[in-house]
Amino acid sequence: MTIVRFAPSPTGQLHVGNARMALANWLHARAKGGTFILRLDDTDSERSTAEFATSIENDLTWLGLQWDQLERQSARMERYRETLESLKQSGRVYGCYETPEELDYKRKRLMGRGKPPIYDRSALDLSDEKREAYEAEGRKPHWRFKLNHADINFDDLVRGPVHFHGQNLSDPVLVRGDGTYLYMLPSAVDDIDMAVTDVIRGEDHVANTAVQIQIFEALGAPPPVFAHTPLLTDIGGKGLSKRLGSMTVSSLREDGVEAMALNSYLAHIGTSDAIEPRANLADLAADFDISHTGRGTPKFDPDHLKTLNAALLHGTDFAAAEPRLQALGLDQADAAFWLAVRPNLERFDDVALWHKVCFGAIDPVLEDAGFASAAADLLPGGVWDQTTWKDWTGAVKEATGRKGKELFLPLRLALTGLDHGPELKLLLPLIGRARAMQRLAGEGQ
Ligand code: GLU
């Protein structure tokens, strides 16, 4: 049974990079008939907020990435404390008293000598007297995990075989002097307790994985399978940060991006699979394979997304559009209307404009009132259908001698108030005779 988790820190809005990670996990779970856990990494009580947690949940819901289970790290602090104690007992966690300044000095000195800034473990040599002296001074210990100086190997579903050696890594701080937990331990404890089988996350976590593999071992649990994907950047190759407002899921939604356009884009960006509009998540899950992810940096291109968005709308059938048309209060929007206007949509809301053009009040543009009036006189009677436009304009051409743009553009401007739009052979029957007459006379309604 596959169990995955998406583990955002609720310290900002979901951006497209986070959404891509959520989607990869969700699709991986669905492709394997597994479970998708939403885990809020909210141990940082100063930066995490309930509002951000809610906005993340809303964005995931909008994308259709429903979770099977919701977990909050803030509710599991007791479990982390217990685990920390057991690691202290087994000698895998040790207390350190260096101040940030002292650590900084050590790091700089090592780097100055061309050495990697690996903690020297001097805390392991502290005498009891020295510890007591520090405590008396008011220093509080921070707690480090003692890495085994051994090979760490894992097979990454994206990167292939990955190798680290414990000696080349710094013993990570698990708990700060003020008792707050850093990311490393709670994440591993959760993955064990929640029986997570597959961890899909950004490649910025590869070295953390090496450490966490040893934490899993120290806690007697087998490590999950890992997949680290290259991080999404903006079009210029710059990393996405939470400050990039236009890259948030909510701002894209407000800009009229369809959830499935974003899903279609993010599921295949940076993979060997073609990016194409897909109508639903089940379709994406059917052939999703995380190992198709490449090693190059994927770049988020807003224009590509826009094109995908339009293509998706142009292929949306009336049954799918109908409830949304109703929700917008467009009560005359039937199948004929939808099929006429959908090729002109860049965003769904654009339908409101075309609904007005077909059924509401517009400002007709009359360049030549005489010509418009002559054309109005030739409007056919009877029931109008898709052939009416051709018959009518044929008659107007014959009567006025106009052809091509000279003929069609003034009619479009009069009938719609616009110089572009859906095919008039489809619009004309929707506009109908009465409105067409009024508009050709220059009357708005
Ligand atoms: N909260 C971590 C992050 O957002 C989670 C990383 C993980 O998936 O383990 O980077």
Side-chain angles (χ1 to χ4, degrees):
M1 172 78 169
T2 299
I3 302 179
V4 302
R5 83 294 192 285
F6 169 56
S9 306
T11 56
Q13 299 232 329
L14 214 62
H15 62 59
V16 288
N18 311 129
R20 171 169 165 260
M21 217 51 75
L23 179 66
N25 276 288
W26 192 94
L27 291 172
H28 185 73
R30 287 297 169 269
K32 302 209 177 279
T35 298
F36 173 73
I37 301 175
L38 169 59
R39 188 184 85 204
L40 296 168
D41 280 5
D42 57 355
T43 52
D44 183 342
S45 57
E46 271 170 32
R47 292 175 60 233
S48 304
T49 70
E51 287 73 23
F52 283 134
T54 304
S55 85
I56 289 170
E57 291 176 33
N58 289 343
D59 288 345
L60 292 176
T61 303
W62 176 71
L63 287 167
L65 308 180
Q66 197 49 54
W67 48 94
D68 305 302
Q69 192 178 325
L70 176 69
E71 300 284 351
R72 286 191 174 80
Q73 291 197 323
S74 55
R76 292 175 42 78
M77 300 309 291
E78 193 45 44
R79 188 69 192 108
Y80 309 142
R81 261 189 291 275
E82 268 168 36
T83 312
L84 184 76
E85 283 316 310
S86 79
L87 289 170
K88 284 183 194 170
Q89 296 302 319
S90 59
R92 291 304 296 275
V93 162
Y94 60 101
C96 306
Y97 289 86
E98 292 92 344
T99 62
E101 295 73 28
E102 285 164 357
L103 288 172
D104 197 43
Y105 173 74
K106 283 187 189 195
R107 261 195 302 269
K108 285 195 177 128
R109 209 175 49 170
L110 283 169
M111 295 203 310
R113 285 194 277 141
K115 297 209 167 139
I118 293 172
Y119 177 61
D120 62 10
R121 293 186 163 175
S122 51
L124 286 175
D125 303 326
L126 282 182
S127 62
D128 288 347
E129 293 76 43
K130 194 73 195 156
R131 268 174 214 283
E132 276 157 28
Y134 280 141
E135 297 272 350
E137 253 178 52
R139 289 203 197 190
K140 295 264 178 286
H142 55 273
W143 300 91
R144 287 188 191 261
F145 180 69
K146 190 171 167 223
L147 288 164
N148 280 334
H149 286 175
D151 279 325
I152 307 168
N153 295 305
F154 61 97
D155 275 320
D156 192 295
L157 294 179
V158 172
R159 302 165 75 84
V162 179
H163 171 75
F164 280 89
H165 196 282
Q167 211 153 9
N168 301 327
L169 298 166
S170 217
D171 287 347
V173 177
L174 301 184
V175 183
R176 299 185 187 88
D178 64 3
T180 56
Y181 285 75
L182 282 112
Y183 156 78
M184 202 68 85
L185 181 67
S187 178
V189 172
D190 289 352
D191 288 343
I192 295 171
D193 289 355
M194 294 162 200
V196 169
T197 58
D198 300 32
V199 170
I200 300 173
R201 59 187 176 195
E203 67 182 6
D204 51 332
H205 285 289
V206 177
N208 290 340
T209 294
V211 168
Q212 287 176 334
I213 283 177
Q214 286 209 359
I215 296 180
F216 287 115
E217 264 167 26
L219 296 173
V225 170
F226 291 94
H228 294 90
T229 74
L231 296 177
L232 193 60
T233 68
D234 71 7
I235 192 81
K238 275 212 306 266
L240 301 179
S241 83
K242 288 173 184 167
R243 287 178 292 279
L244 279 170
S246 65
M247 300 283 192
T248 63
V249 172
S250 59
S251 70
L252 291 171
R253 179 171 59 233
E254 276 154 31
D255 285 348
V257 171
E258 298 285 305
M260 275 316 300
L262 191 54
N263 286 330
S264 300
Y265 188 43
L266 296 179
H268 289 173
I269 189 171
T271 74
S272 53
D273 299 317
I275 297 173
E276 56 198 13
R278 297 276 183 93
N280 56 61
L281 284 165
D283 228 28
L284 280 174
D287 56 6
F288 183 77
D289 189 337
I290 190 69
S291 70
H292 293 179
T293 308
R295 296 292 303 275
T297 300
K299 294 189 174 131
F300 180 81
D301 177 358
D303 289 335
H304 192 159
L305 178 61
K306 230 175 141 178
T307 312
L308 214 54
N309 201 53
L312 200 75
L313 289 170
H314 302 170
T316 300
D317 58 25
F318 179 62
E322 196 178 10
R324 297 176 67 183
L325 294 166
Q326 279 170 6
L328 288 177
L330 306 179
D331 45 12
Q332 285 171 276
D334 58 7
F337 166 79
W338 173 248
L339 295 177
V341 306
R342 72 177 183 179
N344 281 73
L345 303 179
E346 282 191 10
R347 48 182 291 172
F348 191 87
D349 295 1
D350 294 345
V351 285
L353 166 70
W354 301 118
H355 191 267
K356 203 163 109 171
V357 164
C358 291
F359 310 113
I362 60 149
D363 291 323
V365 176
L366 249 53
E367 284 181 332
D368 179 341
F371 169 69
S373 154
D377 290 342
L378 292 165
L379 279 172
V383 179
W384 285 10
D385 60 22
Q386 289 189 19
T387 63
T388 307
W389 170 253
K390 191 157 178 277
D391 294 346
W392 177 47
T393 52
V396 176
K397 180 178 170 185
E398 204 159 295
T400 64
R402 291 199 188 206
K403 56 182 197 277
K405 201 176 162 197
E406 297 277 280
L407 170 66
F408 297 122
L409 186 58
L411 295 179
R412 180 179 283 281
L413 286 168
L415 290 171
T416 70
L418 299 164
D419 62 5
H420 66 280
E423 281 190 85
L424 278 162
K425 74 168 188 185
L426 302 178
L427 288 191
L428 192 60
L430 297 168
I431 292 169
R433 194 164 204 287
R435 263 186 295 265
M437 289 292 280
Q438 281 181 317
R439 291 176 183 180
L440 288 163
E443 294 164 21
Q445 305 102 7

